[in-house]
Short mmCIF file of all heavy atoms in Angstrom, two decimals:
data_model
loop_
_atom_site.label_atom_id
_atom_site.label_comp_id
_atom_site.label_asym_id
_atom_site.label_seq_id
_atom_site.Cartn_x
_atom_site.Cartn_y
_atom_site.Cartn_z
N SER A 1228 278.73 -67.64 1.21
CA SER A 1228 277.62 -66.78 0.81
C SER A 1228 276.51 -67.60 0.17
O SER A 1228 275.33 -67.33 0.38
CB SER A 1228 278.12 -65.68 -0.14
OG SER A 1228 278.66 -66.22 -1.33
N VAL A 1229 276.87 -68.62 -0.61
CA VAL A 1229 275.88 -69.47 -1.22
C VAL A 1229 275.12 -70.25 -0.14
O VAL A 1229 273.87 -70.38 -0.19
CB VAL A 1229 276.52 -70.46 -2.22
CG1 VAL A 1229 275.55 -71.55 -2.63
CG2 VAL A 1229 277.02 -69.70 -3.44
N ALA A 1230 275.84 -70.77 0.84
CA ALA A 1230 275.19 -71.50 1.95
C ALA A 1230 274.20 -70.62 2.68
O ALA A 1230 273.11 -71.06 3.08
CB ALA A 1230 276.26 -72.05 2.89
N ALA A 1231 274.58 -69.36 2.88
CA ALA A 1231 273.68 -68.41 3.58
C ALA A 1231 272.36 -68.26 2.80
O ALA A 1231 271.28 -68.31 3.39
CB ALA A 1231 274.37 -67.07 3.74
N ILE A 1232 272.47 -68.09 1.49
CA ILE A 1232 271.28 -67.88 0.66
C ILE A 1232 270.44 -69.17 0.61
O ILE A 1232 269.22 -69.13 0.69
CB ILE A 1232 271.69 -67.45 -0.75
CG1 ILE A 1232 272.42 -66.11 -0.70
CG2 ILE A 1232 270.48 -67.36 -1.67
CD1 ILE A 1232 273.16 -65.74 -1.97
N ARG A 1233 271.11 -70.32 0.50
CA ARG A 1233 270.40 -71.60 0.47
C ARG A 1233 269.66 -71.86 1.76
O ARG A 1233 268.48 -72.28 1.78
CB ARG A 1233 271.40 -72.74 0.18
CG ARG A 1233 270.77 -74.12 0.22
CD ARG A 1233 271.79 -75.20 -0.12
NE ARG A 1233 273.00 -75.10 0.67
CZ ARG A 1233 273.11 -75.46 1.93
NH1 ARG A 1233 272.04 -75.94 2.60
NH2 ARG A 1233 274.29 -75.33 2.57
N GLU A 1234 270.32 -71.64 2.88
CA GLU A 1234 269.68 -71.89 4.17
C GLU A 1234 268.51 -70.93 4.41
O GLU A 1234 267.49 -71.31 4.97
CB GLU A 1234 270.71 -71.78 5.30
CG GLU A 1234 271.75 -72.90 5.34
CD GLU A 1234 271.16 -74.22 5.81
OE1 GLU A 1234 270.12 -74.21 6.50
OE2 GLU A 1234 271.74 -75.27 5.48
N LEU A 1235 268.68 -69.69 3.97
CA LEU A 1235 267.59 -68.72 4.09
C LEU A 1235 266.37 -69.23 3.34
O LEU A 1235 265.24 -69.18 3.84
CB LEU A 1235 268.04 -67.35 3.59
CG LEU A 1235 266.97 -66.25 3.59
CD1 LEU A 1235 266.57 -65.91 5.00
CD2 LEU A 1235 267.49 -65.03 2.83
N TRP A 1236 266.59 -69.69 2.11
CA TRP A 1236 265.50 -70.20 1.27
C TRP A 1236 264.86 -71.45 1.91
O TRP A 1236 263.65 -71.53 2.04
CB TRP A 1236 266.02 -70.52 -0.11
CG TRP A 1236 265.15 -71.43 -0.90
CD1 TRP A 1236 265.38 -72.74 -1.23
CD2 TRP A 1236 263.86 -71.11 -1.46
NE1 TRP A 1236 264.35 -73.27 -1.95
CE2 TRP A 1236 263.40 -72.27 -2.11
CE3 TRP A 1236 263.08 -69.97 -1.50
CZ2 TRP A 1236 262.16 -72.34 -2.81
CZ3 TRP A 1236 261.86 -70.02 -2.17
CH2 TRP A 1236 261.40 -71.17 -2.79
N GLU A 1237 265.70 -72.39 2.32
CA GLU A 1237 265.17 -73.67 2.85
C GLU A 1237 264.38 -73.45 4.13
O GLU A 1237 263.33 -74.08 4.31
CB GLU A 1237 266.31 -74.65 3.08
CG GLU A 1237 266.99 -75.14 1.82
CD GLU A 1237 268.18 -76.00 2.08
OE1 GLU A 1237 268.57 -76.15 3.27
OE2 GLU A 1237 268.73 -76.54 1.11
N GLU A 1238 264.86 -72.59 5.01
CA GLU A 1238 264.24 -72.47 6.32
C GLU A 1238 263.15 -71.42 6.40
O GLU A 1238 262.33 -71.48 7.35
CB GLU A 1238 265.34 -72.20 7.37
CG GLU A 1238 266.30 -73.34 7.53
CD GLU A 1238 267.32 -73.16 8.66
OE1 GLU A 1238 267.35 -72.07 9.26
OE2 GLU A 1238 268.04 -74.11 8.93
N THR A 1239 263.12 -70.49 5.47
CA THR A 1239 262.11 -69.43 5.55
C THR A 1239 261.30 -69.27 4.27
O THR A 1239 260.27 -68.59 4.29
CB THR A 1239 262.75 -68.08 5.89
OG1 THR A 1239 263.48 -67.58 4.78
CG2 THR A 1239 263.67 -68.19 7.10
N GLY A 1240 261.79 -69.79 3.12
CA GLY A 1240 261.13 -69.56 1.86
C GLY A 1240 261.41 -68.21 1.25
O GLY A 1240 260.80 -67.83 0.24
N GLN A 1241 262.32 -67.46 1.85
CA GLN A 1241 262.66 -66.13 1.34
C GLN A 1241 263.75 -66.20 0.28
O GLN A 1241 264.68 -67.03 0.40
CB GLN A 1241 263.13 -65.20 2.49
CG GLN A 1241 262.03 -64.92 3.52
CD GLN A 1241 260.83 -64.20 2.90
OE1 GLN A 1241 261.00 -63.29 2.08
NE2 GLN A 1241 259.62 -64.59 3.26
N ILE A 1242 263.62 -65.38 -0.73
CA ILE A 1242 264.52 -65.43 -1.90
C ILE A 1242 265.46 -64.23 -1.90
O ILE A 1242 265.01 -63.08 -1.99
CB ILE A 1242 263.70 -65.44 -3.20
CG1 ILE A 1242 262.79 -66.67 -3.25
CG2 ILE A 1242 264.64 -65.42 -4.43
CD1 ILE A 1242 261.78 -66.61 -4.37
N LEU A 1243 266.75 -64.51 -1.83
CA LEU A 1243 267.76 -63.51 -2.06
C LEU A 1243 268.36 -63.80 -3.41
O LEU A 1243 269.26 -64.66 -3.53
CB LEU A 1243 268.81 -63.52 -0.95
CG LEU A 1243 269.75 -62.31 -0.85
CD1 LEU A 1243 268.93 -61.03 -0.60
CD2 LEU A 1243 270.73 -62.51 0.30
N GLY A 1244 267.84 -63.15 -4.44
CA GLY A 1244 268.30 -63.47 -5.80
C GLY A 1244 267.78 -62.47 -6.83
O GLY A 1244 266.98 -61.60 -6.51
N GLN A 1245 268.27 -62.62 -8.03
CA GLN A 1245 267.85 -61.81 -9.15
C GLN A 1245 267.13 -62.66 -10.18
O GLN A 1245 267.50 -63.84 -10.36
CB GLN A 1245 269.08 -61.13 -9.81
CG GLN A 1245 269.78 -60.14 -8.96
CD GLN A 1245 270.97 -59.51 -9.70
OE1 GLN A 1245 271.14 -59.70 -10.90
NE2 GLN A 1245 271.79 -58.77 -8.99
N PRO A 1246 266.14 -62.12 -10.89
CA PRO A 1246 265.51 -62.89 -11.95
C PRO A 1246 266.56 -63.31 -13.00
O PRO A 1246 267.42 -62.54 -13.39
CB PRO A 1246 264.52 -61.88 -12.57
CG PRO A 1246 264.26 -60.90 -11.46
CD PRO A 1246 265.55 -60.78 -10.70
N GLY A 1247 266.45 -64.58 -13.40
CA GLY A 1247 267.42 -65.08 -14.37
C GLY A 1247 267.33 -66.58 -14.53
O GLY A 1247 266.69 -67.26 -13.73
N ALA A 1248 267.99 -67.07 -15.59
CA ALA A 1248 268.02 -68.52 -15.86
C ALA A 1248 269.34 -69.10 -15.41
O ALA A 1248 270.40 -68.48 -15.54
CB ALA A 1248 267.82 -68.75 -17.35
N TRP A 1249 269.28 -70.31 -14.87
CA TRP A 1249 270.46 -71.01 -14.41
C TRP A 1249 271.22 -71.58 -15.64
O TRP A 1249 270.59 -72.06 -16.61
CB TRP A 1249 270.09 -72.15 -13.50
CG TRP A 1249 269.74 -71.70 -12.11
CD1 TRP A 1249 268.73 -70.87 -11.76
CD2 TRP A 1249 270.39 -72.06 -10.91
NE1 TRP A 1249 268.69 -70.67 -10.39
CE2 TRP A 1249 269.73 -71.39 -9.85
CE3 TRP A 1249 271.48 -72.88 -10.59
CZ2 TRP A 1249 270.08 -71.53 -8.53
CZ3 TRP A 1249 271.85 -73.01 -9.27
CH2 TRP A 1249 271.17 -72.34 -8.26
N PRO A 1250 272.54 -71.59 -15.60
CA PRO A 1250 273.32 -72.28 -16.64
C PRO A 1250 273.25 -73.79 -16.39
O PRO A 1250 273.73 -74.28 -15.39
CB PRO A 1250 274.73 -71.74 -16.46
CG PRO A 1250 274.78 -71.33 -15.01
CD PRO A 1250 273.40 -70.89 -14.64
N GLY A 1251 272.62 -74.52 -17.28
CA GLY A 1251 272.50 -75.96 -17.08
C GLY A 1251 271.42 -76.28 -16.06
O GLY A 1251 270.56 -75.48 -15.74
N HIS A 1252 271.48 -77.50 -15.49
CA HIS A 1252 270.46 -77.95 -14.55
C HIS A 1252 270.96 -77.67 -13.12
O HIS A 1252 272.08 -78.05 -12.77
CB HIS A 1252 270.20 -79.45 -14.72
CG HIS A 1252 269.60 -79.79 -16.06
ND1 HIS A 1252 268.31 -79.45 -16.39
CD2 HIS A 1252 270.11 -80.42 -17.13
CE1 HIS A 1252 268.04 -79.86 -17.61
NE2 HIS A 1252 269.13 -80.46 -18.09
N PRO A 1253 270.13 -77.04 -12.30
CA PRO A 1253 270.53 -76.79 -10.92
C PRO A 1253 270.59 -78.07 -10.12
O PRO A 1253 269.88 -79.04 -10.42
CB PRO A 1253 269.44 -75.86 -10.39
CG PRO A 1253 268.25 -76.18 -11.23
CD PRO A 1253 268.78 -76.51 -12.59
N PRO A 1254 271.43 -78.16 -9.10
CA PRO A 1254 271.45 -79.34 -8.21
C PRO A 1254 270.10 -79.53 -7.57
O PRO A 1254 269.29 -78.60 -7.47
CB PRO A 1254 272.50 -78.99 -7.17
CG PRO A 1254 273.35 -77.94 -7.81
CD PRO A 1254 272.44 -77.16 -8.70
N ALA A 1255 269.85 -80.75 -7.09
CA ALA A 1255 268.51 -81.11 -6.54
C ALA A 1255 268.12 -80.17 -5.41
O ALA A 1255 266.93 -79.78 -5.30
CB ALA A 1255 268.53 -82.55 -6.06
N ASP A 1256 269.08 -79.81 -4.55
CA ASP A 1256 268.69 -78.96 -3.41
C ASP A 1256 268.50 -77.49 -3.80
O ASP A 1256 268.14 -76.67 -2.95
CB ASP A 1256 269.72 -79.05 -2.27
CG ASP A 1256 271.14 -78.75 -2.71
OD1 ASP A 1256 271.38 -78.64 -3.91
OD2 ASP A 1256 272.01 -78.63 -1.82
N TRP A 1257 268.73 -77.15 -5.07
CA TRP A 1257 268.45 -75.79 -5.57
C TRP A 1257 267.31 -75.78 -6.58
O TRP A 1257 267.00 -74.72 -7.12
CB TRP A 1257 269.72 -75.22 -6.19
CG TRP A 1257 270.70 -74.70 -5.21
CD1 TRP A 1257 271.72 -75.40 -4.62
CD2 TRP A 1257 270.75 -73.39 -4.62
NE1 TRP A 1257 272.41 -74.62 -3.74
CE2 TRP A 1257 271.85 -73.39 -3.72
CE3 TRP A 1257 270.00 -72.24 -4.79
CZ2 TRP A 1257 272.18 -72.25 -2.99
CZ3 TRP A 1257 270.33 -71.11 -4.06
CH2 TRP A 1257 271.41 -71.13 -3.15
N ALA A 1258 266.73 -76.92 -6.86
CA ALA A 1258 265.73 -76.99 -7.93
C ALA A 1258 264.53 -76.12 -7.62
O ALA A 1258 264.01 -75.42 -8.52
CB ALA A 1258 265.29 -78.44 -8.13
N ASP A 1259 264.04 -76.12 -6.37
CA ASP A 1259 262.86 -75.31 -6.02
C ASP A 1259 263.19 -73.84 -6.10
O ASP A 1259 262.36 -73.02 -6.51
CB ASP A 1259 262.37 -75.69 -4.63
CG ASP A 1259 261.73 -77.08 -4.59
OD1 ASP A 1259 261.35 -77.56 -5.67
OD2 ASP A 1259 261.60 -77.63 -3.49
N PHE A 1260 264.40 -73.46 -5.66
CA PHE A 1260 264.80 -72.06 -5.75
C PHE A 1260 264.86 -71.62 -7.22
O PHE A 1260 264.30 -70.59 -7.59
CB PHE A 1260 266.18 -71.88 -5.10
CG PHE A 1260 266.66 -70.46 -5.00
CD1 PHE A 1260 266.58 -69.77 -3.81
CD2 PHE A 1260 267.23 -69.80 -6.11
CE1 PHE A 1260 267.03 -68.45 -3.71
CE2 PHE A 1260 267.66 -68.50 -6.03
CZ PHE A 1260 267.58 -67.81 -4.82
N ALA A 1261 265.49 -72.44 -8.05
CA ALA A 1261 265.59 -72.12 -9.46
C ALA A 1261 264.22 -72.01 -10.13
O ALA A 1261 264.04 -71.22 -11.05
CB ALA A 1261 266.48 -73.15 -10.17
#
């Protein structure tokens, strides 16, 4: 499910998510999403 959301973001710029803060620092490939 995470891969699905990540690929959607990377390939289309569309966000499947809720407003909120990440716990700690997000990985590099999630930095733009966060």
Side-chain angles (χ1 to χ4, degrees):
S1228 62
V1229 168
I1232 298 166
R1233 176 179 50 76
E1234 290 288 338
L1235 177 67
W1236 161 252
E1237 292 175 353
E1238 295 186 353
T1239 72
Q1241 295 298 318
I1242 300 169
L1243 195 59
Q1245 294 180 10
W1249 284 60
H1252 295 289
D1256 55 350
W1257 282 90
D1259 289 342
F1260 186 102

